[in-house]
């Protein structure tokens, strides 16, 4: 494990694991850490040496010197490039691959925009960033939604009550309810949600450009979706998938909670 000092942002903490030799920069989903992918020990980790980054407001990564107003305004997209530039300083400039699950896919995709000529493979699991998720967009971009998000964050009872109501009317299923509810049941957890989603609100990949770069540089692109994922389903990503020359697409019998032992077993048993 180690830290990258990103100027003007803070310290990005990363975990190292995997028995493979090829470097893979990995970005986890909400509420996890860079260790999230350790369950893929018989598939991904046999091939790659993973550098799994903790998102800010997760694990040991720390934003430094930012006011709440700056955090809520959002991290400039250009800052994502600093992850790799600082990693190069520590490990040498070299070819690498990227992997992202859920909201972590945004960072993986933005790195592909910047370093397509150095990237061998991109692995996306239940990815955000390939289409606009209206719920997140409302909370972090629409004025009414942003005010609502702040009010809910500061309230002790609004967020849990809202989650229960969304589940009751079928807007979210049992799996998403359990994930979300466990992340908002304390004041600190609600603040972490608020700060995380606002900090990354500007990190929107240019999917048209990315598809062109994947095709131009013949980058291997592996996309994995959960059949019962109501948050980032395969259907929403199909315009992007259809623009790729040779995508490797999988839909597994899981929900959004995708990075689990069952996925490792699925990947190990794929035809070679």
């Amino acid at each position: 494990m180690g830290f990258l000092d990103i100027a003007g942002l803070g310290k990005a903490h990363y975990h190292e694991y995997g028995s493979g030799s090829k470097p893979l920069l990995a970005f986890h989903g909400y509420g996890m850490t860079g260790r999230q992918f350790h369950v893929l020990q018989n598939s991904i980790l046999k091939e790659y040496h993973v550098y799994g980054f903790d998102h800010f407001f997760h694990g040991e990564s720390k934003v430094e010197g930012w006011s709440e107003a700056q955090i809520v305004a959002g991290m400039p997209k250009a800052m994502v490039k600093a992850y790799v530039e600082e990693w190069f300083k520590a490990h040498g400039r070299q070819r690498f691959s990227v992997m992202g699950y859920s909201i972590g896919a945004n960072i993986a995709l933005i790195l592909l925009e910047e370093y397509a000529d150095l990237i061998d493979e991109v692995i996306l699991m239940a990815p955000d960033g390939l289409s606009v998720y209206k719920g997140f967009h409302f909370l972090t971009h629409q004025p009414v939604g942003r005010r609502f998000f702040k009010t809910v964050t500061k309230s002790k009872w609004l967020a849990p009550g809202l989650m229960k109501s969304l589940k009751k009317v079928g807007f979210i299923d049992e799996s998403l309810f359990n994930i979300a509810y466990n992340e908002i049941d304390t004041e600190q957890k609600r603040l972490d949600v608020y700060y995380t989603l606002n900090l990354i609100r500007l990190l929107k990949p240019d999917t048209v450009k990315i598809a062109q770069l994947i095709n131009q540089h013949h980058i291997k692109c592996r996309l994995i979706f959960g059949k019962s994922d109501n948050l980032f389903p395969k259907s929403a990503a199909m315009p992007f998938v259809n623009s790729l020359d040779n995508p490797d697409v999988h839909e597994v019998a899981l929900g959004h909670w995708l990075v689990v032992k069952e996925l490792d077993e699925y990947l190990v048993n794929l035809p070679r």
Side-chain angles (χ1 to χ4, degrees):
M1 64 177 61
F3 288 89
L4 299 180
D5 289 318
I6 301 179
L9 183 58
K11 292 184 180 295
H13 179 250
Y14 63 90
H15 308 255
E16 290 188 59
Y17 50 99
S19 57
S21 59
K22 297 186 293 185
L24 176 69
L25 307 190
F27 302 90
H28 63 85
Y30 186 83
M32 304 300 292
T33 72
R35 286 283 298 168
Q36 180 174 24
F37 303 102
H38 79 279
V39 297
L40 304 177
Q41 58 184 332
N42 294 314
S43 55
I44 302 294
L45 302 191
K46 292 286 187 182
E47 183 178 1
Y48 286 104
H49 183 83
V50 175
Y51 298 83
F53 289 85
D54 294 345
H55 290 312
F56 290 100
F57 305 105
H58 292 70
E60 297 184 48
S61 291
K62 305 292 181 185
V63 169
E64 295 180 341
W66 283 47
S67 66
E68 179 170 296
Q70 286 176 295
I71 294 168
V72 172
M75 167 184 165
K77 186 177 176 181
M79 277 188 168
V80 174
K81 188 174 181 180
Y83 279 86
V84 173
E85 291 303 315
E86 291 302 316
W87 184 79
F88 282 156
K89 290 178 184 178
H91 300 282
R93 191 173 185 88
Q94 58 185 296
R95 298 192 66 82
F96 63 99
S97 295
V98 292
M99 176 167 63
Y101 163 68
S102 193
I103 63 170
N106 288 296
I107 297 179
L109 288 164
I110 290 170
L111 290 180
L112 198 151
E113 283 187 57
E114 298 289 345
Y115 297 97
D117 60 326
L118 290 176
I119 290 177
D120 292 321
E121 180 176 12
V122 55
I123 304 170
L124 304 175
M125 304 171 181
D128 186 13
L130 298 184
S131 62
V132 175
Y133 181 64
K134 294 180 180 179
F136 289 166
H137 184 79
F138 173 72
L139 293 176
T140 59
H141 287 82
Q142 298 297 329
V144 173
R146 286 170 64 78
R147 288 195 296 270
F148 175 73
F149 194 11
K150 183 175 182 179
T151 300
V152 169
T153 299
K154 306 297 183 180
S155 170
K156 293 181 179 180
W157 61 269
L158 266 177
L162 177 62
M163 287 298 103
K164 291 176 181 177
S165 297
L166 291 175
K167 177 188 171 187
K168 186 175 181 179
V169 300
F171 188 80
I172 59 175
D173 59 19
E174 181 75 24
S175 175
L176 288 179
F177 171 79
N178 290 333
I179 294 170
Y181 192 85
N182 288 333
E183 296 300 334
I184 57 160
D185 58 354
T186 70
E187 181 180 4
Q188 186 58 55
K189 287 182 180 180
R190 290 192 296 275
L191 280 173
D192 286 344
V193 172
Y194 182 65
Y195 290 152
T196 299
L197 294 185
N198 276 293
L199 185 69
I200 67 173
R201 62 189 290 267
L202 304 180
L203 305 186
K204 298 304 176 187
D206 183 340
T207 55
V208 173
K209 177 182 177 181
I210 289 167
Q212 292 171 345
L213 289 169
I214 289 173
N215 294 336
Q216 176 187 345
H217 294 277
H218 307 291
I219 298 169
K220 183 178 179 181
C221 185
R222 195 183 323 183
L223 301 108
I224 305 168
F225 302 91
K227 287 183 179 179
S228 55
D229 185 355
N230 293 326
L231 194 59
F232 302 121
K234 177 184 172 184
S235 58
M238 286 311 297
F240 175 79
V241 172
N242 290 334
S243 66
L244 300 178
D245 289 341
N246 191 31
D248 181 19
V249 183
H250 302 272
E251 194 172 28
V252 299
L254 294 166
H256 184 67
W257 198 245
L258 195 58
V259 187
V260 293
K261 184 178 179 181
E262 289 81 1
L263 178 61
D264 191 38
E265 294 171 353
Y266 172 88
L267 293 173
V268 166
N269 290 314
L270 286 175
R272 298 289 179 177

